[in-house]
Amino acid sequence: KFDYYMEYIRAVANLTFRNLDIIESFDNDSSLNNVNMIDLVTSVHPTIVGDLVTFETKVDTNWKFVLTELGLCFSVNSVFADLLSPR
């Protein structure tokens, strides 16, 4: 079942409002009922590495995960990041 569960992880990690049908094939699998999809997607999302280069040198870069209709994304220095936090 490794491939099956990897496909589920891949589907959840790439889920957006436009492609909700990609998890339809997992609808009847009761073994997935207790999976926290937000915890799953945040745990498999890559870690941010590198620097953001801007002209504003006095502002620290504050990267945060945000959960939007387009899935899990990164936000930089956004006042709304806490409102959209997956936590």
Side-chain angles (χ1 to χ4, degrees):
K1 285 205 161 196
F2 178 83
D3 291 336
Y4 172 78
Y5 289 120
M6 280 303 298
E7 189 55 37
Y8 176 74
I9 293 168
R10 190 175 295 112
V12 171
N14 290 295
L15 199 57
T16 74
F17 80 101
R18 292 182 180 172
N19 67 358
L20 288 172
D21 61 317
I22 65 174
I23 59 169
E24 195 171 343
S25 62
F26 303 98
D27 279 352
N28 296 319
D29 187 344
S30 62
S31 70
L32 299 172
N33 286 351
N34 293 322
V35 173
N36 183 320
M37 292 166 132
I38 294 174
D39 285 345
L40 175 63
V41 73
T42 55
S43 66
V44 299
H45 204 282
T47 305
I48 301 174
V49 294
D51 295 320
L52 177 66
V53 179
T54 70
F55 291 105
E56 183 57 62
T57 58
K58 293 183 172 96
V59 176
D60 289 332
T61 304
N62 185 14
W63 294 92
K64 289 190 176 180
F65 277 131
V66 292
L67 191 59
T68 73
E69 68 278 6
L70 295 177
L72 190 66
C73 303
F74 292 114
S75 173
V76 180
N77 298 344
S78 171
V79 294
F80 296 106
D82 288 337
L83 294 172
L84 299 172
S85 171
R87 300 282 171 212

